[in-house]
Each structure stands twice: as C-alpha cells, then as structure tokens.
Amino acid sequence: MTDAASQLPRPVGAVPPARKSLLEPDARTRRRNAAETRFRAYGIAAIAVAVAALAWLLFAILSDGASAFRQTYATIPVTLDAAVVDPKGNRDPAEMSKVLTLSYGKLLMDGMKSYVASKNIQIDGLDDADLKSFLSEQAQANLRQQVLDNPELVGQVVTVPALTSSRIDGYFKGRVTAESAAADIKTSPAQLALADAMKADGALVTRFNSDFITNPDASETRAEAAGLGVAILGSLYMMLIVLVLSLPIGVAASIYLEEFAPRNRLTDLIEVNIANLAAVPSIVYGILGLAAFINFMGLPRSAPIVGGLVLTLMTLPTIIIATRAALKAVPPSIRDAALGVGASKMQTVFHHVLPLAMPGILTGTIIGLAHALGETAPLLLIGMVAFVKEYPSAPPEGLFDPASALPVQIYNWTRRADPAFFERASGAIIVLLVFLLAMNLLAIFLRRKFERRW
Amino acid sequence: MNDMRLAERTVDTDAKAIKFQCRDVQVWYGDKHAIKDVDVDILDKTVTAFIGPSGCGKSTFLRCLNRMNDTIPIARVEGRMLLDGEDIYDRRVDPVQLRASVGMVFQKPNPFPKSIYDNVAYGPRIHGLARNKAELDEVVEKALRGAALWDEVKDRLSETGTGLSGGQQQRLCIARAVATSPEVLLMDEPCSALDPIATAQVEELIDELRSQFSVVIVTHSMQQAARVSQKTAFFHLGNLVEYGATDDIFTRPQDPRTESYISGRIG
C-alpha cells in the first residue's frame, strides 16, 4: 500500500501549511483547551453544590437536634411521706404498687412548694398551677418507680433529679421565651421567672440525657420523656433478620445464577426481574408484606419479624446485584487455574472465587442493610407506626413483640404538636445518621481487610 | 549439539507408547467450525508442539484434551479422544478426575492470591494425595524442585505467590500442575508473557519434565517449537495440516502451507 501511494502524483493544493511555532498554540488548540477548562469548572461547581447541600443538611440537623441529647432536671428535696406512699406501713412493694402515680405528684408538688418557701422566692403571679406544671408528669412516674425499686427510701427526704416540663427545658434551650410563654397555656412568664431563680440557686441542671437513647416513646404531653430505646431495639432486630435471611439467600442465588446456571431464556428472565425488583417502590413491598405476612400468614402487626421479612425482600435484589458484580469481577484466569488442577466447580467457587469476591459482597450487603435501616414507607403499612411503650423482649420471642423503628419514630415525632418533639425528631435523625455512618465505616473496614493484593 | 538432539529424537519417538489417540475430532463454537477432522497421536514422555497462525484452533484443540472447553457453554466437541484407550468424552468420565491426570499451564501466569506453599499444595489437598502435613511438605518440595523453583522460594513459602516475578509465577504454575502428578501436561503458550531469560528457564524445565510425562505445548514461536519439541503439529484454519517429527516439519515440510508458514510467508 505504501508502494502504491508513493507512485501517485502529489495532488496540488493539498500541501500541508507550514507548521507554526510550537510556542504559540493555534486556534484549534486554544478552543480545545478552553473547552477542557470549562468542563473542569462545571465539575468543580457540581461538587461545590453537592458539598454545600450536604453541609447545610448536616448543619440544620445538628443545630436542631443536638439539644435533644441534653435535658433539664430539677433537683429539689422531696419528702417521701410514709402515710402517702406506704399506707399499710409494711414496705411491701406489692402493696405499695397500689399507690397511684397521682399521689407522688402531690409529694413533688409539696416539694416544690416547700422549696419555693424555704428559698423565699417571691414572684408575682406564681400560682399552684405553675408549680404543678413545672415538673414533667413523667417525674411522678419516675419517682414512684424509684420508690418501688427501693422501699428503703420511704419516709426519707430524697433529692432526686426530676424531669422538668418541656417548656422549662425549652426555655434553657432557647425555644421558649417570656413573650411566647405569655401566649402559651402550658407555661407562664411567672413559671419562667421561677426557673431563672432555681437556675441561679443551682437547683436546675441541664445535662447529658442518656434517657433519650434508652427510654421508650412517651405520650404527646410528655415530650421531655420520649426516647429512642424501643425504636433502636426494633431497628436492631429487623437488621438482624435482614442480615440472617438476605445474606445467605442473596449470595446463594447470585452464586448459582453467576457460576452454575445455564444461560437460557429462563435465567435471562430471572435476571431482568431481579434488576426490576431493585427498582420497585418500597411501599409496594409494604403492601406485599401486609397481604402476605400479616393477612395470609397471620403474623402479628407491628412486629420486627414482619418488618424484617419485608425489608429482606426489599434488600435481596440489591445484594444479588452487588454479589453478581463482585463475582463477575473475579478474573476468569483464577477459575481456569483451579479447574486446571482438577478442582470441581464448587471447589473452584468456594475456595477461590468467593474469597476474592468477599469484599464486594460485604460492601454490597452493608449498603443494602443501611438502605433497609432508613426505610420508612413499607413499615408504615405493616403497623410499625403504632405507639409502643413496652420494650420488646429478647430474641427470638422478642421478634414477635410490637416494636418501633428509627425512621418510623422520626416520622411519628415530626407529626406531633409539641415543638419539643421537633427537637427530638432531629435528635433521632442524628442517631440514625450515626448508625448509617458506622455501617459505612464497617463496610470500608471489611473491604480493606479482605482485599487481596494482586 | 543440535545434531546430537536430532539423533536422540529419531531414536526415542519410535519407541514411545501412544498417550492420546485422537480421531476425527470436530469442535464447534456455536455455528463456527473451529476444529475439522483432526487425527493426531500424542506420544508418552515426549514434547509435542502445536504451531500455527492465530485463530487456527491449536489452543482450542489443546483445551479439548482436558475438557477445559466444557466451561464454554457454546463449545461442542465430537469425535474420539482416547487417553490410554479410554474415551475422555465418554458420559461416565468426570472432567474433574480427568484434569487431575491431565494438568494445564496457561498463557498468563495465574497463581492463586495465596501463599506459594498453598498454591502448590492446593491440588494435592483436594485430591487427597497426602495423608499428613509431612507428606504434603514433601509433595510441595518435590513439585517446586521439579519446576526448578525450590532454591529461589524455599525460604519464603508463606509469602504470596502473586508477589513473585513473571517467570517465577509461571514456574509456580508449572509446579502447581506438577504437584498432582499428572500423566500429561498441557501448556498454552506458557512463555508468551515472559522475558527471554525466563523463557529459557521454562524451556529447559519443559525438556526435563519430558522424562516424567507427556508434554503438549502450544506456541507462537517456531524457534521455541524447534528448541523444545520432538513432534510438531501444524494447524491452519482448523485443520491439522501436517504432523510429524519436529525436524521433518522444519526441514522437509510436506505441505506447501507448512512451508509458507515456517518460512514466514503466512501467519
């Protein structure tokens, strides 16, 4: 071909123009460079927008939610009058438990009154209603529980930290002001003045609130007592079920489809459907769970077992897709090598292919789990949205007990009227984000650990 | 030296038993007829080279000898391939058992990402060739010595096999194949990814291995075929064009296609 070309007469006019200096880029090069510069600018702008959005989100959640981890307590001396808390006088917890919470409310009220009197606090307009609503209703219940747990306390004067109402707590967190209190039936400027006086005296402390993590949910009127304990347990149980079911099923299905199944119409159909299932809206899985697990199989409502099963169905396609990708990424030369020394198909897969695919499988599984952890919609349909105050018992029986879940708890709290619940919802989001972050870190750690250097 | 080996060849090829007897072998990849009517007898304790241009089917044919083509769903093999008189494509034959006696070394060194020891010990372990650790140690050492790698790696058997140099990796793969004591060793262009020095080492090794079993090697390098083999088969477009003693093929080719290929006019 080169011979033929050299024999042709050179066409006139097609002589390439003399090359300009290399020191000066020509117009074409300048245009190309400009295009590249523009593209880089777009990329940086896109990243800047994403980072700004993330930073804004984190800032908003942290500034709203961080205060949920702190709570205001009143430390006032309370006389545990034996005539009130132990009318029979035998210190028998069974007898004492007949005394209602309301009686302890009276004791706390007396405590407040004597405190105000002893400190000689004079505030205009401070009435009994202000003193009564100063402490949370939960404070009475807590005190009662404390006495029942430890009957020795009867008759003594105890100084226990008592939960203050959400308005007093909000006052120290900047949510409630004297102006807003004037228009609020649940508090008054006089009550806030008392709070200031007590704070100055050291009888009010705002400190870290571990109850927010461990307590169960509380009713509408006791935002200050509401916690995430049941939700965290419920989410944990569901994640256990999802892990135990979806990892073996997903990995076994992937290995079969990827390494053993013949390529035919049926497997193609299965493949397409798995990909489609990954894109099915999660609420559809909720309806499926309601129909199949609750209505047909008769499993209890609001139970982690049902939630876990639904989330398993939802997570399976993700895990299968991730696992198949990880198996595909194992070089075929490793399979050849194993088959070449006479390993069976199964030995090849389990001795060589699976260990090499492990980092990818684990990462996919954890990402799938993290996805399931944050899923709300299907849980609403199977009754996980219910108000649950009792902790579920230990597994396996506990899997059938009613429980809540973190994202559903967040959803529940954001619907409630008291602004204190808004703070708690943000706090719960922080907890959820911490869990997600921990799972992602675990994924990174496992990937590093199992990754083999080639 | 060349003359000496010439003499040796003429003597030993006649006396050797037939290891593989292949008759009327056809291979299809889907609709593509990749191997057509191949008849070939592979001798025991002999190095047989398959040469030919790219895509001529020599690797395909090699992979038929230990049924590695079974892993390709669209591949179909017909005809008779007898190993010591038994048809390896008989329905009763388990390819896994066959591959234990017909080992294979691939074009690209492909050690497992495990220790050197585990690489070599893998075959004996899964086939139960050693009763205890001491026996396994012995098998591993013998295989590594057989692959002329023992002296280089004996102090770092627990290091990963993928950390070795390319030539060492390929000899490790040979050791891995040798460790299962195969009767036939198939090598698919074992030196194509190696430098000349590593190639020379592997070629020397191939010549030594010939004393123990039959070696079949696919190569693109005609010099290599001439250096290491006693018998050569020339494949072209799926046909076995010519098969005979290596010296005859290179000095007195019967077929014009063989002559064109070895003189560099086609391929």
Side-chain angles (χ1 to χ4, degrees), chain A residues 231-244 303-309 311-312 369 372-373 375 379 382 384 399 404-408:
Chain A
I232 290 176
L233 265 185
S235 277
L236 199 72
Y237 285 6
M238 287 197 292
M239 287 306 106
L240 263 178
I241 294 169
V242 174
L243 184 68
V244 166
I305 181 84
V306 180
L309 287 172
L311 293 179
T312 300
L369 278 185
L373 180 67
E375 196 55 68
L379 303 183
I382 56 162
M384 298 289 282
L399 300 180
S404 186
L406 272 173
V408 176

Side-chain angles (χ1 to χ4, degrees), chain A residues 263 333-345 347-348 351-352 355-356 452-454, chain B residues 63 68 71 96 99-100 102-104 106 110-114 122-123 126-127 162 176-177 180:
Chain A
R263 294 267 174 280
S333 65
I334 294 295
R335 294 183 179 84
D336 282 348
L339 291 174
V341 292
S344 69
K345 188 103 195 167
Q347 285 170 327
T348 304
H351 295 171
H352 301 288
L356 289 174
R452 294 191 196 228
R453 305 265 170 261
W454 229 255
Chain B
R63 290 169 66 92
M68 280 299 275
T71 60
V96 169
R99 287 179 203 137
V102 183
M104 188 151 187
F106 297 85
N110 56 356
F112 301 128
K114 299 176 184 238
Y122 183 68
I126 60 172
H127 296 299
T162 44
R176 183 175 64 191
T180 56

Side-chain angles (χ1 to χ4, degrees), chain A residues 398-428:
Chain A
L399 300 180
F400 294 87
D401 291 345
S404 186
L406 272 173
V408 176
Q409 192 69 71
I410 293 168
Y411 167 77
N412 257 341
W413 283 349
T414 50
R415 287 192 313 160
R416 293 193 186 163
D418 193 328
F421 277 115
F422 179 72
E423 165 202 276
R424 292 189 120 64
S426 297

Side-chain angles (χ1 to χ4, degrees), chain B residues 188-209:
Chain B
D188 191 356
E189 298 181 40
C191 301
S192 67
L194 304 183
D195 68 28
I197 294 169
T199 302
Q201 286 170 325
V202 171
E203 283 179 6
E204 203 176 312
L205 177 59
I206 293 170
D207 201 49
E208 284 167 22
L209 294 175

Side-chain angles (χ1 to χ4, degrees), chain A residues 272-436:
Chain A
V272 169
N273 276 301
I274 288 172
N276 283 341
L277 280 178
V280 167
S282 56
I283 197 148
V284 176
Y285 286 102
I287 296 177
L288 175 73
L290 179 65
F293 299 129
I294 295 181
N295 289 345
F296 180 71
M297 287 166 65
L299 290 172
R301 268 165 240 271
S302 314
I305 181 84
V306 180
L309 287 172
V310 169
L311 293 179
T312 300
L313 291 183
M314 211 193 73
T315 317
L316 264 178
T318 316
I319 291 186
I320 292 178
I321 290 169
T323 305
R324 292 190 66 179
L327 291 173
K328 270 202 188 90
V330 174
S333 65
I334 294 295
R335 294 183 179 84
D336 282 348
L339 291 174
V341 292
S344 69
K345 188 103 195 167
M346 194 159 151
Q347 285 170 327
T348 304
V349 170
F350 282 89
H351 295 171
H352 301 288
V353 179
L354 202 55
L356 289 174
M358 217 53 193
I361 294 174
L362 288 176
T363 312
T365 305
I366 291 174
I367 299 297
L369 278 185
H371 187 189
L373 180 67
E375 196 55 68
T376 324
L379 303 183
L380 299 183
L381 289 182
I382 56 162
M384 298 289 282
V385 77
F387 176 80
V388 183
K389 193 138 174 46
E390 295 294 318
Y391 293 103
S393 51
E397 299 84 25
L399 300 180
F400 294 87
D401 291 345
S404 186
L406 272 173
V408 176
Q409 192 69 71
I410 293 168
Y411 167 77
N412 257 341
W413 283 349
T414 50
R415 287 192 313 160
R416 293 193 186 163
D418 193 328
F421 277 115
F422 179 72
E423 165 202 276
R424 292 189 120 64
S426 297
I429 292 173
I430 294 175
V431 172
L432 185 60
L433 286 181
V434 166
F435 277 112
L436 292 178

Side-chain angles (χ1 to χ4, degrees), chain A residues 8 33 40 147 157 271 280 312 341 348-349:
Chain A
L8 286 173
N33 289 350
R40 279 167 192 252
V147 172
V157 177
E271 206 160 305
V280 167
T312 300
V341 292
T348 304
V349 170

